[in-house]
Amino acid sequence: MRSFLTMLGIIIGVASVIILVSIVNAYMSYMTESFASLGTNRISVNMVNLSTRSVSDDEMYEFYEEHTDVFDNLSPVVSVSTRVKHGSDTMSSTSVTGVSEEYLDIMGYDLAAGRNIQYSDLISRQKVCVIGYYVASELYGSAENALGQTLKVGGYAYQVVGVAQRQSEDAMEDGGTDDFVWLPYSCAVKLTRNAVINNYTFTIMDLSAASDASELISDFLLETFKDEDLFSVTAMSEMLDSLNSMIAMVSAGLGGIAGISLLVAGVGVMNIMLVSVTERTREIGIRKALGARKGVILQQFVIEAAVQSALGGIIGILIGSVATTAVGKMAGLDASPTPGAVLVSFSVSVAIGLFFGYAPARRAAGLNPIDALRSE
Amino acid sequence: MEPLIELKHIYKIYQMGGEEVRANDDISLTIFRGEFVAIVGKSGSGKSTLMNIIGALDVPTDGDYMLGGEDVSEMTDDQLAAIRNRMIGFVFQQYNLLPKLNLLENVELPLLYAGVPAGERKERALASLERVGLADKWRNLPNQLSGGQQQRVSIARALAGNPSLILADEPTGALDSRTSRDVLEFLKELNEEGNTIIIITHDNSIALKARRVVRIHDGKINFDGDVNEYAAILKAGSEKYTEQ
């Protein structure tokens, strides 16, 4: 019973380290994954709509042409808040965006049918559109059927020239990744009744040069705006970096808490070992009378402590693993105990057992056999 | 003939509340191999202190103690442990068997600490249990045995290491008179086989089973001689007592 209580501390300590570290790990990789699917090579530019100072799309393209060694693609992003209609059907949550022909590459999508928006569509403001797979299947039944059909955006009829491939692996839903309509941005600008375009998305050639590229854009915009508060340049990879460092911090914090619980468990082991030495004073006396040297007694108690904490560690690993999988399932994460957490928590628990077992063991070994024999 | 035990001017002095207590006050005693000695004395006489010194459980404050030709009085803890292991077999009043070990494991302990390999250890421990007639119960735990049987196990443990001296501290203190007689008979038998035996007791009737009696009083030896002589003194004393 007493040895079980000793182990309980270690069990809880080890299990909590494994659960915390593994769950945070799984969450981190989940976050990273979902962020990566947003495109880490993208840089978003957002400008405040000012009547006095602005950067036109031509200026932006000029800037882009000057730095094609840094930038891969550029597309204006013009969000249009309107509903998409086809006959009596209305798509209420479909996002309507004005983009350039490069947006398909920026998003990393392929076409399931038809063609992409073309440069000629942009300059001649052709009322054509590329639609998401969900829109195509909801309004026309399939991608092929959608081609050549028209849908109404803001009262104007647009011909469907292309359908993007299905993106989401799960069931498609309203407002999901497949629920969009892309128009030539020149058309979209007219729909928004804005003279200028406020949002652009660049992609960069080299992921590691993300911050340099962001700075390049900032410098360029600063020339016009003279104030850094009037625009923002956001690199997805930088966000990913800051997200990662944030998660690492949280993970370290939780690991610290779990570490403290392990330490508390260690103090518990020492406590119980001290009690055990006191209770077993007579046994120590007998053993010493029969000729056990100090070293032998020391060894016996240290081994006992180590075995006890190792056993606790193993049970802790088992409980931690089971709990990690269970919690992971509940949270919808793919969580499994990380080998690092298992290894570290196990070796820490054994080390604690050895370390905290040593002090009482020393005391036990140093007892005078006569006093030890006399104790009840 | 070389003496097994040679105590020369042994003092054991404790400081108790600033007062000096002389538990052993200039004790000199020589015991040869093959003797059967009873050290007798009232509680507080210093006989337990003397036993601790003879048993190499403690070192004297002053004086020399030669055990089997080795000077024990200046030894370190670990050297004392080795001497105890090699030379002395203890039989305690409370048996002092380890409750979680079975009889065989208990008897094996001194051999374990002597570094005897496992196979030989088991063999010798079983032989020792056989000697006290409990070999068939070797799997039992001590608390499954009667007091007399437990004391026999502790004697088996004392014999296992084949020591030069068997030191029995009140070996019958916890036993009824019949089992006491058995245990004493057995010790006598062992002595007849050549073992040196010292019994520490407060009970004169037990002391009379030995062949030589040493009486301790106030830390000093006030009688050392043949058991018959001691019996005579006791008889005279009790007669004197009855006369009064």
Side-chain angles (χ1 to χ4, degrees):
Chain A
M1 187 59 200
R2 194 181 55 216
S3 54
F4 174 74
L5 285 176
T6 318
M7 282 196 292
L8 195 64
I10 298 248
I11 290 170
I12 292 173
V14 169
S16 59
V17 168
I18 290 176
I19 294 169
L20 282 176
V21 173
S22 304
I23 292 290
V24 167
N25 242 21
Y27 193 64
M28 192 150 78
S29 61
Y30 168 74
M31 292 286 270
T32 311
E33 227 166 77
S34 54
F35 241 76
S37 72
L38 291 178
T40 46
N41 62 341
R42 274 176 241 163
I43 297 178
S44 304
V45 176
N46 188 303
M47 292 173 285
V48 171
N49 195 359
L50 281 184
S51 53
T52 49
R53 278 168 272 171
S54 67
V55 174
S56 72
D57 49 334
D58 289 340
E59 285 168 325
M60 193 59 96
Y61 266 103
E62 216 169 282
F63 164 75
Y64 164 68
E65 299 294 343
E66 280 170 26
H67 298 97
T68 43
D69 54 329
V70 179
F71 301 113
D72 195 13
N73 296 106
L74 168 64
S75 172
V77 179
V78 183
S79 294
V80 184
S81 46
T82 182
R83 286 189 178 171
V84 175
K85 287 179 185 171
H86 171 69
S88 57
D89 295 331
T90 301
M91 304 287 286
S92 55
S93 46
T94 304
S95 70
V96 180
T97 314
V99 298
S100 77
E101 77 277 17
E102 290 180 355
Y103 200 65
L104 193 73
D105 283 343
I106 291 175
M107 295 304 284
Y109 292 179
D110 288 319
L111 288 174
R115 65 167 178 89
N116 192 11
I117 292 168
Q118 290 170 347
Y119 184 62
S120 58
D121 298 331
L122 297 172
I123 50 173
S124 61
R125 290 185 189 145
Q126 284 293 324
K127 290 199 172 50
V128 294
C129 62
V130 170
I131 60 175
Y133 200 88
Y134 178 69
V135 179
S137 58
E138 283 291 301
L139 294 182
Y140 313 107
S142 76
E144 281 71 24
N145 287 350
L147 293 180
Q149 300 272 6
T150 56
L151 49 73
K152 276 196 163 179
V153 179
Y156 296 94
Y158 283 77
Q159 191 183 17
V160 177
V161 293
V163 177
Q165 251 175 8
R166 183 176 177 163
Q167 297 300 316
S168 64
E169 288 164 12
D170 309 324
M172 294 185 292
E173 54 187 7
D174 269 17
T177 46
D178 292 297
D179 192 8
F180 62 82
V181 172
W182 291 343
L183 315 174
Y185 71 87
S186 48
C187 299
V189 167
K190 288 190 79 180
L191 284 174
T192 61
R193 296 184 185 82
N194 262 339
V196 291
I197 298 165
N198 294 318
N199 296 301
Y200 293 87
T201 298
F202 289 84
T203 57
I204 48 173
M205 296 285 195
D206 181 8
L207 250 185
S208 59
S211 52
D212 289 342
S214 305
E215 220 164 280
L216 198 64
I217 300 170
S218 295
D219 288 347
F220 165 66
L221 294 176
L222 198 59
E223 279 173 32
T224 306
F225 285 99
K226 315 288 186 205
D227 186 346
E228 285 185 1
D229 292 337
L230 295 177
F231 61 88
S232 70
V233 177
T234 316
M236 286 297 184
S237 62
E238 280 176 0
M239 285 178 71
L240 187 68
D241 283 350
S242 64
L243 180 82
N244 275 347
S245 67
M246 198 179 76
I247 291 176
M249 240 166 63
V250 171
S251 156
L254 288 176
I257 292 170
I260 288 173
S261 74
L262 260 182
L263 193 75
V264 171
V267 174
V269 172
M270 184 165 82
N271 223 330
I272 304 240
M273 286 304 290
L274 271 172
V275 172
S276 152
V277 166
T278 315
E279 275 185 7
R280 293 166 65 187
T281 306
R282 194 181 178 80
E283 176 190 334
I284 294 162
I286 296 168
R287 287 179 184 273
K288 291 198 90 167
L290 296 179
R293 278 172 292 111
K294 254 186 201 168
V296 175
I297 300 275
L298 190 67
Q299 204 182 354
Q300 185 196 342
F301 275 79
V302 168
I303 288 176
E304 267 183 37
V307 165
Q308 215 163 59
S309 31
L311 211 64
I314 289 169
I315 297 176
I317 287 170
L318 291 180
I319 291 179
S321 305
V322 170
T324 298
T325 321
V327 170
K329 251 185 201 145
M330 272 196 295
L333 292 172
D334 182 22
S336 58
T338 56
V342 169
L343 205 71
V344 166
S345 59
F346 181 73
S347 44
V348 164
S349 72
V350 174
I352 279 175
L354 283 176
F355 185 76
F356 287 113
Y358 184 76
R362 253 187 74 88
R363 208 183 75 124
L367 284 175
N368 179 330
I370 304 166
D371 296 338
L373 273 174
R374 212 173 282 150
S375 89
E376 277 309 316
Chain B
M1 190 175 165
E2 196 192 320
L4 176 63
I5 288 168
E6 208 172 1
L7 296 163
K8 285 183 194 158
H9 308 291
I10 293 291
Y11 291 86
K12 185 69 188 181
I13 300 165
Y14 297 104
Q15 297 293 334
M16 284 182 116
E19 218 174 302
E20 204 180 75
V21 177
R22 297 186 167 214
N24 282 178
D25 189 1
D26 193 10
I27 285 185
S28 295
L29 178 65
T30 304
I31 294 171
F32 291 89
R33 287 184 195 276
E35 283 201 87
F36 187 3
V37 184
I39 294 177
V40 68
K42 297 195 186 76
S43 85
S45 62
K47 67 176 192 305
S48 290
T49 307
L50 184 61
M51 178 204 119
N52 288 338
I53 290 171
I54 291 175
L57 288 166
D58 203 359
V59 288
T61 312
D62 197 15
D64 290 325
Y65 173 28
M66 303 291 285
L67 176 60
E70 286 182 77
D71 187 357
V72 177
S73 35
E74 302 290 333
M75 280 187 174
T76 64
D77 281 2
D78 278 357
Q79 285 171 318
L80 286 175
I83 280 281
R84 285 196 295 272
N85 184 250
R86 200 151 38 88
M87 310 271 288
I88 301 163
F90 287 96
V91 177
F92 298 102
Q93 176 175 5
Q94 294 297 334
Y95 330 129
N96 281 348
L97 300 172
L98 296 186
K100 284 182 186 164
L101 304 185
N102 68 31
L103 302 191
L104 185 70
E105 288 163 338
N106 262 293
V107 175
E108 272 184 346
L109 272 181
L111 301 172
L112 177 78
Y113 294 134
V116 176
E120 187 190 339
R121 203 159 69 214
K122 188 172 179 190
E123 207 172 291
R124 283 172 64 179
L126 269 178
S128 204
L129 274 174
E130 184 75 50
R131 182 73 191 76
V132 298
L134 287 168
D136 54 327
K137 287 191 164 46
W138 68 270
R139 273 178 206 276
N140 288 40
L141 292 178
N143 62 13
Q144 294 168 316
L145 269 59
S146 71
Q149 286 173 320
Q150 288 191 53
Q151 192 59 300
R152 270 151 68 197
V153 174
S154 93
I155 293 172
R157 182 177 66 185
L159 288 172
N162 198 16
S164 310
L165 168 69
I166 289 173
L167 192 56
D169 180 19
E170 302 279 8
T172 61
L175 303 175
D176 60 49
S177 56
R178 222 199 66 186
T179 25
S180 291
R181 220 171 21 248
D182 289 348
V183 166
L184 287 171
E185 268 316 304
F186 189 71
L187 287 174
K188 202 171 170 184
E189 232 174 83
L190 289 175
N191 172 248
E192 277 156 12
E193 287 169 13
N195 291 294
T196 315
I197 293 173
I198 299 179
I199 294 180
I200 318 289
T201 182
H202 69 283
D203 188 341
N204 280 325
S205 66
I206 287 162
L208 289 175
K209 305 282 184 194
R211 293 202 302 217
R212 174 181 166 190
V213 176
V214 174
R215 188 166 67 186
I216 309 285
H217 184 74
D218 284 348
K220 292 176 192 291
I221 294 175
N222 72 355
F223 176 87
D224 182 1
D226 187 75
V227 69
N228 297 324
E229 200 180 323
Y230 187 63
I233 288 177
L234 284 181
K235 204 174 171 205
S238 64
E239 271 167 16
K240 198 167 150 196
Y241 182 80
T242 8
E243 276 167 23
Q244 281 174 353

